Amino acid sequence: MNWDTFYYLIFVPIIIINTIIYFAKNNKNPNKKNIVLKNYDFTQKSEEDKFVIESAFNKNLEKLMQITPQTIYHFRKINDAEEKELKLEFFFYTNKAKKAEKLVAELKKINYTVKQSVSEKDNKIFIITGWTTKIKMSDEIVKKWTNQMCILGYNFDCEFDFLETTK
């Protein structure tokens, strides 16, 4: 092996590597070793696993709080009195069976009649439906209940909705 070949095979790569290391260490990066560290929080759910993001929760809560007085007015019109106690039908939606099961267990703890099913339109959506115990149909009480159900749903990554009542 002649000197030129030895020079190009050994010394040139060493010079190139040392030059790269020199510039990497001496750039303005505060991480002098130029190592990129990424912290992962494995306790947080990934966005694609999340069914109800915070902005959607806030929007849904605001919408339900706005329509609750109209719904209560409708209930009163059908059933005559503000003092009347009625059962409310509710719905929750989510993207995982486990989330639905956990919410069902929580709703049963407060003596609600609850069942879980899969959406007929989209088998990736799980539906939790049921009926409350009797609730007094006052504005304040139903608004408070609506707020609590929205928060409960969000805590289990489920979207809350309610629709009607019975006598």
Side-chain angles (χ1 to χ4, degrees):
M1 177 180 333
N2 67 20
W3 178 249
D4 288 339
T5 307
F6 183 74
Y7 177 78
Y8 286 108
L9 289 176
I10 303 295
F11 289 117
V12 170
I14 290 173
I15 292 169
I16 292 171
I17 291 170
N18 283 331
T19 304
I20 292 170
I21 291 171
Y22 173 81
F23 284 110
K25 284 184 177 181
N26 292 313
N27 69 6
K28 302 236 185 249
N29 186 344
N31 184 354
K32 293 294 183 193
K33 294 180 182 173
N34 218 29
I35 298 171
V36 177
L37 298 175
K38 183 163 181 150
N39 292 327
Y40 291 97
D41 184 357
F42 292 106
T43 62
Q44 293 204 355
K45 299 173 184 170
S46 70
E47 282 301 313
E48 62 189 50
D49 187 42
K50 196 87 169 127
F51 185 71
V52 183
I53 59 173
E54 188 175 357
S55 60
F57 161 74
N58 289 328
K59 188 175 181 178
N60 186 49
L61 177 60
E62 183 179 330
K63 177 190 81 162
L64 289 174
M65 294 310 283
Q66 287 176 355
I67 66 168
T68 296
Q70 297 165 359
T71 308
I72 295 168
Y73 174 78
H74 175 70
F75 294 162
R76 285 190 197 137
K77 192 174 176 182
I78 293 171
N79 297 295
D80 291 331
E82 180 178 341
E83 297 300 315
K84 192 153 195 168
E85 290 186 346
L86 303 171
K87 291 183 178 184
L88 296 174
E89 185 177 18
F90 57 83
F91 301 88
F92 291 89
Y93 309 94
T94 193
N95 62 341
K96 302 284 182 188
K98 274 264 192 243
K99 295 174 189 178
E101 289 166 10
K102 288 179 181 180
L103 180 61
V104 165
E106 193 67 23
L107 292 167
K108 285 183 176 181
K109 287 180 186 177
I110 54 177
N111 296 320
Y112 287 1
T113 306
V114 188
K115 68 179 182 176
Q116 173 186 340
S117 61
V118 177
S119 170
E120 292 177 10
K121 293 180 182 178
D122 184 351
N123 64 1
K124 294 178 183 174
I125 300 294
F126 297 86
I127 303 169
I128 301 95
T129 61
W131 292 91
T132 66
T133 54
K134 288 189 174 186
I135 297 174
K136 186 177 175 184
M137 289 295 106
S138 75
D139 288 353
E140 186 178 318
I141 291 172
V142 177
K143 279 184 172 182
K144 184 177 177 182
W145 175 81
T146 301
N147 187 60
Q148 289 171 340
M149 291 298 104
C150 283
I151 292 169
L152 180 66
Y154 184 68
N155 288 340
F156 287 90
D157 197 25
C158 300
E159 184 173 55
F160 170 71
D161 196 7
F162 78 96
L163 187 58
E164 58 184 79
T165 185
T166 64
K167 294 183 178 183

